[in-house]
Amino acid sequence: MIILGASYSTKLAHKVAVEIHDVLRGALFSSEAFTSEPELWVLQSMLLIEVFGKFKAGSKQHEMSIIFHGVLINLLKKTGCLNVHVPSYSSKDELDPESSWRNWIQLESMKRLAIFTFNWDVQHAILFGQTPCISAFELRLQLPSEVNLWTQNNSEDWLKFRREETEQIYFLNCLKKYLNCSNDLPSINPLSRVVTLYGLMSISWDMNRKELTSFDSNIDSYSWKCRMSKSFDWWKQDFDNFYFKISQNSRDTLNKRFLIQYLTTNSALYHVAHIALCTNINSLLIYSGYTTIFGRKVSKQNYEFAVQTTRTWSKSIGR
């Protein structure tokens, strides 16, 4: 957390943060806490180290983050984070609220770690051209709980909202509704909407890989891409309706600022999803004039491929 914060400070602070980062992963991996089934804080630390290395440092740190990305995913699978189940409210919560609250925090933290890592894994594939390590269908957990539950500072206040909690929705059930453009979409919170979009992007990547690697020449590329495009549009329509409702009810200036950021970033992500459905993001960057992509020089062969794929895509749009 310190090195991530320092990356937003002065150049000197950022330089120090990079130097700390370069020894941090090694220190964590060589500690007694790093095992085949590590504690939650170890996995959280690994994710934060990877985030810094991939986006906040140089090409060396970026490449190292890519190398160790799979280690984090494998440990998440090993520890059961992708399948964690948070029990609904019961009378046990009333008998020992403090213990129930702390147990809930542990499980909800595992769930959110898996969700953020999944989102990160999709970015890993879409933005950096890497092979994803998690399929959307491996995420057999519930969507994130409501923010009112997550932000409470003590068991008493947590229990008040816990009593009012509705039945939690599973990620896959929700994803299938958006994928099928269902008229019966569930009411979900802002974070759940984001992970659902990442889920659709993950399916889109899987379908594209299947088409490219399959020996079956009868795969209808146009058909599945049209279906995914409709699913993205269905998500956006529901997202805009949701944003409009909460923005009308919000009078807090700070909250409105968050909502604007939330709308802007996730609308941009929706457009990225559409672009990635049809072409390669790296090809667009190369075609637009980038001479290096994430620390690697663009070769003549890479450039020619980018020109070919981008022009093919642009012609298909024209039709």
Side-chain angles (χ1 to χ4, degrees), residues 14 16 37 77 120 128 156 185 250 266 277:
H14 180 260
V16 172
E37 294 186 21
K77 293 178 179 180
W120 188 246
F128 303 118
E156 276 186 35
L185 294 176
S250 177
N266 291 296
L277 180 63

Side-chain angles (χ1 to χ4, degrees), residues 95-127:
L95 297 174
D96 189 355
E98 187 69 23
S99 177
S100 295
W101 179 49
R102 294 189 179 280
N103 183 59
W104 182 89
I105 290 172
Q106 176 75 10
L107 294 174
E108 183 69 18
S109 297
M110 291 173 66
K111 182 208 301 182
R112 286 171 179 251
L113 174 64
I115 286 170
F116 284 124
T117 305
F118 169 71
N119 292 357
W120 188 246
D121 188 60
V122 175
Q123 289 186 28
H124 188 72
I126 301 294
L127 302 181

Side-chain angles (χ1 to χ4, degrees), residues 13-27:
H14 180 260
K15 183 180 178 181
V16 172
V18 173
E19 291 175 354
I20 294 173
H21 168 271
D22 288 346
V23 299
L24 200 54
R25 185 186 287 106

Side-chain angles (χ1 to χ4, degrees), residues 1 12 46 53 95 125 218 237 258 270 279 281 315 319:
M1 292 301 293
L12 178 59
M46 289 177 67
L95 297 174
N218 295 320
Q237 179 181 322
F258 163 77
Y270 155 78
T279 191
I281 299 293
K315 288 178 182 178
R319 291 198 297 270

